[in-house]
Amino acid sequence: MSSRRAFTLVELLVVIAVIGILAALLAPGLSSVKNKAQRTSCLNNLRQINLGIRMYCDDFDGHTPIDKDTAANASNIYEYGLNSFFSYRRLMGSYVDLKGKPSPEDKLFACPADTFCYDAAPHILAVIYIPSSAHDATNTYYSSYAFNGGISNIFSIYTNKIGLGSQKLETIKDPAKTIFEAEVCALFPFSWHQPGNASSFGAVSFNNRAVLFDDARSMVSFVDGHVSYIKNYWNPSPVQPGVWALSVQYNPPSAYDYKWSGD
């Protein structure tokens, strides 16, 4: 004869508790693996796009890509400013083995960590949280990545002349430190991967979400072709009352091993 013994309620609770403890111990490790995989995929995207931009430059006497037709047909000064960062996407298809117009299906231009973004208005007080990816937006031409085209002479409140739009590669003085292509979040900066010092440095926040961080980490590629996971510098001091400059509008202090300008 055989007898069967069922689990008691106490035993079931103990098993559930043990499973819960193991899950809590494993969760950070699994999250870390997932984040690392996303960063690796993003860096590989940037390598391919960087190569495509360099091939474009080779075909156009070394000049970096600015889609002048798109910029000329911009309906307003804000749209023109966006085009300096994203209109390159219209020119890249044949250089990265993609056919047709830019599409949300073009996964090469999608960072896997890109799940939200902000409305890139001319000044920070107009920033609005958007619970969808930059890659899904039409005004980015379906790209998580922005070319360092610059916004010099576009908004009167800014007087800096930062960016590489239409500049010849051979005139860029420090290609190993000059950003060529970057995640959209690096322009602000916020981060899809690792936020920086919000509380200690004073992030500007909207809808209870921090928008700007000093040392937020982003994926970027450089003019010489290498890619890196950098800390973005952001200065929270307003350029005038109520107006903050984005990180893409000035070079960081010397302690940071990158810059936006080509001089």
Side-chain angles (χ1 to χ4, degrees), residues 31-79:
S31 178
S32 177
V33 170
K34 178 183 177 182
N35 293 340
K36 185 175 181 179
Q38 289 179 331
R39 293 195 299 269
T40 299
S41 176
C42 188
L43 288 176
N44 288 333
N45 289 347
L46 281 169
R47 285 191 182 97
Q48 294 182 60
I49 297 169
N50 185 295
L51 179 59
I53 296 175
R54 294 186 66 85
M55 292 169 64
Y56 172 94
C57 294
D58 289 342
D59 284 349
F60 289 87
D61 193 30
H63 287 284
T64 57
I66 288 293
D67 186 345
K68 295 181 179 179
D69 289 339
T70 301
N73 293 325
S75 61
N76 55 60
I77 200 168
Y78 165 50
E79 186 177 336

Side-chain angles (χ1 to χ4, degrees), residues 154-230:
I154 292 177
F155 304 125
S156 60
I157 59 175
Y158 304 125
T159 58
N160 57 311
K161 297 182 178 181
I162 297 292
L164 308 178
S166 295
Q167 186 171 350
K168 296 188 72 170
L169 291 185
E170 64 186 36
T171 67
I172 297 173
K173 295 182 178 180
D174 199 347
K177 292 185 64 174
T178 305
I179 291 177
F180 208 37
E181 181 86 357
E183 290 182 311
V184 172
C185 56
L187 309 182
F188 285 74
F190 59 95
S191 178
W192 292 323
H193 306 279
Q194 183 178 335
N197 304 317
S199 59
S200 62
F201 207 74
V204 179
S205 298
F206 295 88
N207 298 335
N208 295 318
R209 295 175 182 271
V211 177
L212 300 179
F213 295 90
D214 182 43
D215 289 345
R217 302 202 67 158
S218 304
M219 304 290 180
V220 302
S221 70
F222 292 84
V223 174
D224 71 344
H226 84 277
V227 294
S228 187
Y229 186 40
I230 68 166

Side-chain angles (χ1 to χ4, degrees), residues 55-180:
M55 292 169 64
Y56 172 94
C57 294
D58 289 342
D59 284 349
F60 289 87
D61 193 30
H63 287 284
T64 57
I66 288 293
D67 186 345
K68 295 181 179 179
D69 289 339
T70 301
N73 293 325
S75 61
N76 55 60
I77 200 168
Y78 165 50
E79 186 177 336
Y80 184 91
L82 281 180
N83 281 327
S84 68
F85 295 111
F86 299 114
S87 62
Y88 84 99
R89 174 66 185 89
R90 286 165 44 99
L91 309 174
M92 286 295 103
S94 63
Y95 296 98
V96 292
D97 198 27
L98 292 174
K99 297 180 180 179
K101 296 180 179 180
S103 162
E105 303 305 314
D106 297 338
K107 299 307 179 185
L108 174 62
F109 288 86
C111 170
D114 173 9
T115 58
F116 66 95
C117 57
Y118 293 93
D119 180 12
H123 58 82
I124 304 310
L125 289 182
V127 170
I128 299 173
Y129 172 77
I130 300 173
S132 59
S133 70
H135 179 257
D136 289 336
T138 57
N139 60 6
T140 67
Y141 296 97
Y142 307 110
S143 179
S144 299
Y145 310 107
F147 172 64
N148 179 20
I151 58 174
S152 60
N153 299 328
I154 292 177
F155 304 125
S156 60
I157 59 175
Y158 304 125
T159 58
N160 57 311
K161 297 182 178 181
I162 297 292
L164 308 178
S166 295
Q167 186 171 350
K168 296 188 72 170
L169 291 185
E170 64 186 36
T171 67
I172 297 173
K173 295 182 178 180
D174 199 347
K177 292 185 64 174
T178 305
I179 291 177
F180 208 37

